[in-house]
Amino acid sequence: MFPELTRDDVFRLETRRLWLRWPRMADANAILRLAGEKAVAEMTASIPHPYPPQAVEPFIFAMRKGNALGEHLALAITPRSKPNELIGMISAHRQATGVPFIGYWLGTPHWGKGCATEAVQGLIDSLFSLIDLPAIEADTRVINPASRRVLEKSGFRSEGSFLKSLPARGGLFPCEQFRLDRSTWAALKSWSASGWAHAPELEPEQEPARGAPALGIPPRRQQEQAEPCPA
């Protein structure tokens, strides 16, 4: 599903403030520290808490191997000013339906700054631009309204709640399914280019306005309080 372009570890996506790049073994300590926090892990399907130190390097190897084989696209979220400093991760995984599923998490020191929204919009714009996809799907735990807001600001619509198995949480938990169709994505890009804001903020902006990142990502107003989503 994922094109040759993404299968080399020099591949990266750039937004105004972020670099999304392949994870590296040098990211191990940051992943252990940030993903291992209870506030982050408990909102995901697969991150254990506490995070076993011996599991980090095998995880990074698996993510890199899957990227190289085109099985998924897993990227470290880093500041453009500090591309070696991992602050979270975002990924897209293929499903049997042909519609990829995205998940992400962000370390707690970086919540409330719009980074999750910027990363999500950067990834979905790239996926739709590089691959002939009908849609992209995601889900979030119903107790995670901030993650829901990230998806809504990126154009996803809710398709209802369901019980999902979250292996790292040890059972079935209520989650909400989201879907973004290509036609909706294209319309939102067109409206944004014309000056429309498809998801206006309810509170005043508290960060510098961001411009259009690489691959045609339109400027959007983004702010959230917490940002982990099932990984």
Side-chain angles (χ1 to χ4, degrees):
M1 168 179 285
F2 299 97
E4 291 292 335
L5 175 66
T6 68
R7 301 185 189 187
D8 190 305
D9 66 1
V10 300
F11 174 80
R12 70 171 185 265
L13 302 176
E14 295 184 32
T15 70
R16 177 168 181 179
R17 298 180 300 161
L18 305 173
W19 270 22
L20 308 182
R21 58 159 175 82
W22 277 35
R24 308 163 181 164
M25 289 303 173
D27 297 322
N29 287 337
I31 293 174
L32 181 63
R33 182 180 72 255
L34 298 175
E37 288 193 59
K38 184 178 181 181
V40 173
E42 69 183 0
M43 294 299 173
T44 73
S46 58
I47 299 176
H49 178 76
Y51 202 129
Q54 67 274 16
V56 181
E57 289 194 0
F59 164 76
I60 296 173
F61 178 80
M63 294 301 98
R64 290 180 60 86
K65 180 179 178 181
N67 282 354
L69 294 175
E71 296 174 350
H72 58 233
L73 181 58
L75 301 172
I77 303 172
T78 72
R80 284 189 65 176
S81 60
K82 298 179 180 179
N84 292 324
E85 181 182 311
L86 178 146
I87 63 172
M89 289 196 66
I90 188 167
S91 61
H93 297 263
R94 62 183 178 185
Q95 302 182 103
T97 60
V99 174
F101 176 91
I102 67 167
Y104 57 89
W105 61 265
L106 200 66
T108 57
H110 309 283
W111 289 2
K113 301 176 182 179
C115 293
T117 305
E118 190 169 333
V120 167
Q121 292 177 356
L123 180 60
I124 63 175
D125 280 8
S126 300
L127 292 175
F128 278 126
S129 298
L130 296 173
I131 311 171
D132 184 17
L133 298 172
I136 297 172
E137 294 180 341
D139 63 42
T140 182
R141 293 188 65 178
V142 297
I143 61 172
N144 192 358
S147 188
R148 174 191 176 112
R149 180 66 177 141
V150 169
L151 295 174
E152 289 176 337
K153 287 192 291 183
S154 301
F156 286 81
R157 72 170 187 272
S158 174
E159 297 203 319
S161 301
F162 68 108
L163 289 177
K164 179 179 179 178
S165 174
L166 306 182
R169 311 279 74 80
L172 297 172
F173 294 85
C175 291
E176 191 168 5
Q177 181 73 34
F178 289 86
R179 182 182 176 96
L180 174 61
D181 295 323
R182 175 178 284 275
S183 58
T184 302
W185 167 78
L188 291 175
K189 285 193 67 178
S190 175
W191 295 339
S192 294
S194 300
W196 287 78
H198 73 274
E201 290 299 323
L202 299 179
E203 297 178 357
E205 185 70 30
Q206 297 183 10
E207 63 186 43
R210 63 189 61 127
L215 291 173
I217 305 167
R220 285 138 169 163
R221 297 171 61 83
Q222 307 158 3
Q223 179 182 1
E224 51 271 346
Q225 298 303 310
E227 297 157 326
C229 179

